[in-house]
Amino acid sequence: LLEAGADGLIIPVINSGDDAAHQVQLQKFPPVGQRSYGVNRAHGYGFDFDEYTQSWNDSGIFIAQIETITAVNNIDSIANTPGLDAAMIGPYDIAGSLSVPGETNHPRVREAARHVVEACANAGISCMTQIADVSKATVEDALDQGYTAIVMGSDLFILWKWAVEVRELIHEVR
């Protein structure tokens, strides 16, 4: 994906500082990391090679997805990984990891999220989450929790909402 020209990556299931450091090694060019210098689309098939490779280590974005209680417990080492730009909480996955699947507002899930938000703030990196119900109340709640970035739904949630509306319309018509 990076060779195709992505500005960065959101990597799922980062459970430790070692996981995060390994991803930095894969994404950054030497001397910071070990990314390959192969000729590819990202740097214009070699025409912009020097400019691209010189600026990538400073401008490429690495976001670690925090999706398990293991990651929550290791968030200080993850958040303080040099080269990590942000962490993104996967509330559904954390809920499942805490044996309360689907309960993204469960007190244990919210406490885990609070811990991640605080660790990210202390490390000076952004902390993101995704919300399924895009409403003023959910956006305000996410901001009140301390998130610095919010993913406003996804194609899955949009299609799900549309399917529910279609089902309700069919029931009204029949």
Side-chain angles (χ1 to χ4, degrees), residues 35-46:
R35 183 172 166 193
S36 168
Y37 282 104
V39 175
N40 55 61
R41 181 175 186 226
H43 51 67
Y45 301 102

Side-chain angles (χ1 to χ4, degrees), residues 61-102:
I61 300 167
F62 167 33
I63 301 170
Q65 281 194 274
I66 307 302
E67 302 174 286
T68 66
I69 192 60
T70 301
V72 171
N73 291 336
N74 292 324
I75 191 59
D76 290 323
S77 65
I78 295 169
N80 286 292
T81 300
L84 177 67
D85 299 293
M88 180 174 173
I89 293 175
Y92 285 93
D93 291 317
I94 287 178
S97 179
L98 290 169
S99 299
V100 290

Side-chain angles (χ1 to χ4, degrees), residues 122-169:
N122 291 338
I125 65 170
S126 183
C127 190
M128 309 165 63
T129 193
Q130 178 177 355
I131 57 175
D133 173 31
V134 179
S135 67
K136 182 179 180 184
T138 55
V139 170
E140 285 177 345
D141 182 50
L143 294 173
D144 288 345
Q145 289 181 63
Y147 292 105
T148 55
I150 304 168
V151 176
M152 304 291 278
S154 71
D155 53 354
L156 173 68
F157 293 129
I158 292 167
L159 290 171
W160 174 40
K161 185 176 180 181
W162 174 78
V164 168
E165 290 172 1
V166 168
R167 182 183 69 196
E168 290 171 0
L169 179 62

